[in-house]
């Protein structure tokens, strides 16, 4: 499913764990994210932390823990939206399980919860696997450019 040159997985998640997080979310998790949870649980692939259902003590954020942080910060998560990675500055990468702000279910979005109301959602790409691959390619280009810059000195 998701591959990388370096990956560390804390999973897989179990159906009871998925049922529990769906109860907390108030809706089912999107299909591709469910497949990720059942295959990997949560983990890091090429430096990218992917929330899931694992162990907070394992050094990776568990989705339930992240949802609690979002509530503590006073943000309203749109129904159907499941954050799966943080992108810094308080924003998240998420998958909607239903149409949200015109974005189709299953597509990956950037969610900016600090914006007015339920935050702003921006469509980014096809799905979870597509997004991870896009992120990996960008990181590889960035490392390649950094290496060429250092070699040219």
């Amino acid at each position: 499913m998701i591959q990388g040159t370096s990956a560390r997985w804390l999973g897989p998640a179990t159906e009871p764990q998925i049922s529990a997080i769906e109860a907390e979310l108030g809706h089912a998790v999107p299909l591709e994210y469910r497949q990720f949870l059942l295959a990997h649980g949560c983990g890091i692939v090429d430096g990218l932390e992917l929330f899931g259902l694992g162990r907070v003590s394992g050094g990776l954020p568990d989705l339930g823990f992240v949802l609690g942080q979002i509530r503590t910060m006073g943000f309203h998560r749109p129904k159907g939206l499941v954050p799966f990675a943080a992108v810094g500055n308080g924003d998240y990468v998420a998958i909607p399980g239903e149409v949200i702000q015109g974005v189709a279910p299953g597509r990956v979005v950037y969610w900016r919860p600090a914006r007015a109301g339920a935050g702003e959602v921006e469509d980014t790409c096809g799905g979870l696997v597509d997004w991870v691959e896009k992120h990996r390619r960008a990181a590889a280009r960035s490392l390649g450019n950094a290496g060429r810059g250092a070699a040219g000195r």
Side-chain angles (χ1 to χ4, degrees):
M1 178 172 188
I2 295 177
Q3 299 178 19
T5 55
S6 68
R8 180 173 67 117
W9 304 115
L10 298 176
T14 64
E15 283 294 342
Q17 286 176 305
I18 294 173
S19 294
I21 201 67
E22 287 176 333
E24 184 173 344
L25 287 164
H27 55 80
V29 296
L31 178 60
E32 190 176 19
Y33 188 64
R34 172 180 285 278
Q35 292 167 339
F36 163 75
L37 294 172
L38 289 170
H40 303 294
C42 68
I44 299 176
V45 60
D46 295 340
L48 175 66
E49 292 184 358
L50 301 174
F51 308 152
L53 302 175
R55 303 171 303 224
V56 176
S57 63
L60 295 171
D62 179 85
L63 179 57
F65 177 78
V66 171
L67 293 173
Q69 286 186 313
I70 290 168
R71 281 191 302 275
T72 298
M73 290 185 284
F75 297 133
H76 170 72
R77 181 185 52 82
K79 184 175 189 276
L81 193 66
V82 180
F84 69 84
V87 289
N89 66 356
D91 295 345
Y92 295 89
V93 183
I95 301 175
E98 57 189 56
V99 175
I100 296 176
Q101 297 180 15
V103 177
R107 292 192 57 83
V108 171
V109 300
Y110 285 116
W111 175 46
R112 296 173 179 88
R115 304 284 167 98
E120 177 182 285
V121 172
E122 176 188 336
D123 192 4
T124 65
C125 68
L128 176 64
V129 174
D130 292 339
W131 186 85
V132 169
E133 188 56 35
K134 180 178 164 183
H135 174 82
R136 290 183 59 244
R137 282 192 308 267
R141 278 193 307 273
S142 183
L143 285 175
N145 290 339
R148 282 191 293 279
R153 291 182 205 169

